[in-house]
Amino acid sequence: MSAYILHYAPDNASLIVRLALEHRRLPYRTRLVNRAAAEQAGAAYRALNPHGLIPVLETPQGTLFETGAILLWLADRHGGLAPSPDMRDRAGFLKWLFFVSNTLHPALRMTFYPEKYAGPDKLHQAALRKTMQTAIATHLGTLDAVAAQCPVWLDPAHPGVMHFYLAACLRWCALYPSDADRGWFRLADTPHLRNLCAAVEALPCTRAAQDAEGLGPTPFTAPCLATPPEGSAT
């Protein structure tokens, strides 16, 4: 029996957790959260995550939600995904993991779903989206400068949870929202993060995710909209 159950939707934040599970070759099963039917808002899913957000990871020690928390738990439990608590690089890893999960990722969410934060007024939504796009570009520039220093937890030769988290975020910057002007983002503007994306793209865990979620041939360096065998990304 699989140790873990990943509640997922294609090309959602659950993709990051899938990459980590696949990279460590951990046994898991998936359960689709049908976003087209708004299953994430239903009572059954909210019993697992009262916030109705994806992903959820069921474990023998309890149910986890919040992407950063799941990744940190997996890294500490299984190793090989991040510096261990006794390593010198642990502090740097933690502060940037929390920056990505608490600052970059929410900014993406506000860009993709401005109506959830700015209300129904289209002008307010557009203003929020523009503000967040500017902020995201700044955040990515900062992270690119960190990657240039090649800390072990961002070294392309040692893939782990930060690689998977950032590759997914960069993918989404290039794709979503599909009706928005794409001119604000170019992966080439962050060359060290682009190298990270290329390294992640070559991993076996990415090939598994491509098959499972229909991510296309170059999911992180030149992404296209997902065509999953089940479910939908939105």
Side-chain angles (χ1 to χ4, degrees):
M1 178 178 290
S2 300
Y4 301 127
I5 300 173
L6 175 63
H7 296 257
Y8 90 104
D11 209 12
N12 279 233
S14 49
L15 167 62
I16 307 162
V17 180
R18 183 193 290 274
L19 289 168
L21 292 167
E22 289 283 350
H23 184 66
R24 286 294 285 116
R25 299 182 180 179
L26 300 172
Y28 72 101
R29 292 179 289 133
T30 57
R31 288 186 182 168
L32 176 69
V33 182
N34 187 346
R35 293 195 62 187
E39 283 186 356
Q40 72 274 20
Y45 189 76
R46 284 186 179 268
L48 298 171
N49 182 351
H51 311 295
L53 298 176
I54 302 165
V56 160
L57 185 70
E58 293 189 64
T59 84
Q61 283 70 46
T63 299
L64 295 170
F65 53 81
E66 295 295 327
T67 303
I70 295 171
L71 295 173
L72 184 57
W73 189 88
L74 288 172
D76 284 353
R77 183 166 179 81
H78 296 286
L81 291 167
S84 61
D86 59 341
M87 292 179 66
R88 183 182 63 182
D89 293 323
R90 175 73 168 193
F93 161 73
L94 285 176
K95 69 184 181 184
W96 289 108
L97 173 65
F98 278 78
F99 175 79
V100 172
S101 65
N102 291 357
T103 303
L104 176 62
H105 197 167
L108 290 174
R109 183 170 171 79
M110 283 185 270
T111 300
F112 304 155
Y113 309 108
E115 71 282 358
K116 295 180 181 292
Y117 301 90
D121 189 291
K122 297 296 184 182
L123 291 178
H124 293 170
Q125 293 176 19
L128 176 60
R129 179 174 287 166
K130 184 175 181 180
T131 298
M132 289 299 101
Q133 288 172 343
T134 300
I136 291 165
T138 299
H139 300 333
L140 293 179
T142 300
L143 286 161
D144 195 63
V146 174
Q149 301 168 21
C150 206
V152 65
W153 41 270
L154 276 183
D155 184 345
H158 298 91
V161 297
M162 283 290 286
H163 301 71
F164 305 142
Y165 212 151
L166 285 170
C169 287
L170 290 159
R171 169 182 169 80
W172 299 328
C173 285
L175 292 178
Y176 299 111
S178 58
D179 62 345
D181 176 18
R182 302 259 62 84
W184 71 277
F185 172 77
R186 290 194 322 140
L187 183 58
D189 292 338
T190 51
H192 300 286
L193 295 182
R194 190 200 179 283
N195 290 342
L196 180 149
C197 285
V200 172
E201 199 167 85
L203 294 173
C205 64
T206 296
R207 289 194 287 274
Q210 286 171 289
D211 292 341
E213 303 193 17
L215 301 181
T218 51
F220 302 121
T221 60
C224 59
L225 293 174
T227 55
E230 65 171 3
S232 64
T234 57

